[in-house]
Amino acid sequence: MKTFLKFFLITLFILGCENDKGEAITDGAVYTELNVRYDKTTNRTTGTAWFWQGNKNGRWLIFNPDATLEFQDNAMAYRPGDHSYFKELENLQTPAVFSFTDINNKVFVNSIDVKQIDFRPADDLDTIDTSQPLTVTWSGTVLENSEIVTLRIESISATQDSIGTSTVTFTNEKFSLLSGFKNSTVLMTIERSRSIALQQDLGGNGFIRAEYISQSKNVYLK
């Protein structure tokens, strides 16, 4: 009896999360999230897509196997672990283009620029004094609407989202959270992200997000 109940609950969960009926999922409204992430350390760009029925509280959706899902004109693979479609490519891919064609011949194309950011080569950031705030002026254009810059040291981050700015500050309060790393070498990155509405949605809205992660940098905290 316990085995049957366990099997029934698992089956119910699957049916509630994924559309495996082989139908055109875009006959109804579909909420969509698209993400493109470039990591300069690995020199790889990853495009990822998620789909939900109606809105994000709906069940996850899977396209019919005969549908076409592409990132930069390359077929995307389904990943059941997080119910996503993804494709990983070498080098920075910008503008990043997602193109989907369902079996009902509905076509949806969305794209976004992946804007670069990095530490300025002339700045001496090898050793960081944790007793005072650290302000970094990045290499790249100033912030535009819907953009965020994140300065990350290990797992602690400081953000900047003011339009027209080109600096981000890691405060004393942030450094206090890294007290256990004092007098040691840690990893630091600077990241740029932007989220905008889809140019062509699947009837249920959604957004597309671009992320650029700088080359990671080894810094000594004193």
Side-chain angles (χ1 to χ4, degrees):
M1 182 65 181
K2 290 183 178 179
T3 301
F4 173 80
L5 180 60
K6 182 177 180 181
F7 176 79
F8 175 77
L9 291 175
I10 292 174
T11 302
L12 187 63
F13 172 79
I14 293 173
L15 291 176
C17 293
E18 299 179 357
N19 173 13
D20 58 357
K21 297 178 180 179
E23 59 192 22
I25 68 171
T26 53
D27 283 341
V30 178
Y31 177 82
T32 308
E33 290 185 6
L34 308 176
N35 190 82
V36 53
R37 177 186 175 93
Y38 173 71
D39 188 329
K40 191 174 181 180
T41 299
T42 61
N43 192 32
R44 298 188 73 81
T45 300
T46 304
T48 313
W50 295 266
F51 306 95
W52 291 265
Q53 185 179 48
N55 56 63
K56 198 168 180 178
N57 293 320
R59 59 178 178 170
W60 291 294
L61 294 176
I62 302 173
F63 277 82
N64 183 286
D66 292 328
T68 301
L69 291 91
E70 294 183 332
F71 174 67
Q72 302 297 80
D73 296 323
N74 291 273
M76 303 179 76
Y78 179 67
R79 182 165 48 195
D82 66 348
H83 310 282
S84 69
Y85 289 86
F86 77 102
K87 181 63 181 180
E88 188 176 69
L89 299 170
E90 295 283 352
N91 305 314
L92 172 63
Q93 303 287 325
T94 186
V97 181
F98 294 85
S99 178
F100 310 130
T101 304
D102 207 348
I103 57 173
N104 56 8
N105 294 322
K106 289 183 178 179
V107 179
F108 306 88
V109 179
N110 288 275
S111 66
I112 192 169
D113 291 328
V114 184
K115 296 186 178 179
Q116 300 184 43
I117 191 170
D118 216 326
F119 299 106
R120 296 190 304 181
D123 290 345
D124 183 11
L125 297 174
D126 293 336
T127 300
I128 305 297
D129 184 354
T130 60
S131 68
Q132 57 188 14
L134 170 67
T135 297
V136 172
T137 301
W138 62 75
S139 175
T141 58
V142 299
L143 279 187
E144 298 181 5
N145 190 34
S146 303
E147 286 191 307
I148 297 176
V149 162
T150 301
L151 177 63
R152 194 181 309 278
I153 302 178
E154 290 296 321
S155 61
I156 307 302
S157 60
T159 59
Q160 173 65 272
D161 61 1
S162 298
I163 297 173
T165 55
S166 59
T167 65
V168 58
T169 299
F170 208 88
T171 63
N172 285 349
E173 181 181 7
K174 297 288 186 181
F175 276 125
S176 70
L177 301 175
L178 290 169
S179 58
F181 291 93
K182 194 171 181 178
N183 299 318
S184 65
T185 299
V186 297
L187 283 179
M188 180 169 69
T189 61
I190 192 166
E191 309 167 6
R192 186 172 193 148
S193 62
R194 181 186 183 213
S195 295
I196 59 174
L198 298 174
Q199 294 101 349
Q200 294 184 335
D201 70 45
L202 307 183
N205 299 315
F207 65 86
I208 181 170
R209 175 183 173 87
E211 299 175 287
Y212 185 104
I213 317 301
S214 75
Q215 178 81 39
S216 56
K217 188 176 184 65
N218 291 311
V219 299
Y220 182 81
L221 300 183
K222 71 175 185 178

